[in-house]
Amino acid sequence: QVQLVESGGGSVQTGGSLRLACAASENVSKYYMAWFRQAPGKEREGVAAIDKAGSPTYSYSVMGRFTISKDNDQNTLYLQMNSLKPEDTAMYQCAAGICEGASLTYRYWGQGTQVTVS
């Protein structure tokens, strides 16, 4: 199974930027990849996803501010986060998904990296 390790989190001021990275033990082109986040007391939410062909999708809350990308040669998924807001504060996790029948299941998860915006 693929191993995922996130990095790049930290503390920034409102309006700042961070770039998260997710290093995978296998070629990320084999999977549907995504970033999720979970704030204290809230449910985990999908932030951005990218399919095998590289087409991205975003949640409404981050559209226009975050950019998801991947480097298949480096086996790495990225999340560029600009114009950060306090409500972006959360633990961010990357996930690798596979299609099982008609469903996409994010089966593999990293441990997460904390982002704090103040």
Side-chain angles (χ1 to χ4, degrees):
Q1 65 183 40
V2 62
Q3 306 289 328
L4 303 171
V5 179
E6 301 94 336
S7 62
S11 297
V12 295
Q13 293 186 335
T14 298
S17 297
L18 283 173
R19 188 192 195 201
L20 305 184
C22 172
S25 59
E26 300 178 23
N27 196 316
V28 294
S29 66
K30 295 170 57 177
Y31 301 94
Y32 294 85
M33 302 295 297
W35 288 97
F36 291 79
R37 68 185 182 187
Q38 187 167 21
K42 295 188 177 181
E43 294 187 357
R44 184 167 59 196
E45 64 168 331
V47 173
I50 188 166
D51 67 14
K52 294 181 179 181
S55 295
T57 56
Y58 300 94
S59 69
Y60 180 79
S61 61
V62 306
M63 196 173 298
R65 300 187 298 123
F66 290 11
T67 302
I68 188 171
S69 63
K70 61 179 180 174
D71 185 330
N72 292 334
D73 292 336
Q74 297 296 321
N75 297 345
T76 304
L77 177 73
Y78 299 101
L79 185 68
Q80 178 67 44
M81 305 186 296
N82 298 328
S83 302
L84 283 162
K85 305 175 182 180
E87 50 263 44
D88 294 318
T89 295
M91 179 69 74
Y92 284 72
Q93 289 178 283
C94 68
I98 58 175
C99 284
E100 299 177 333
S103 300
L104 170 61
T105 300
Y106 287 102
R107 182 174 293 278
Y108 307 107
W109 295 81
Q111 83 289 348
T113 186
Q114 179 67 37
V115 172
T116 303
V117 185
S118 59

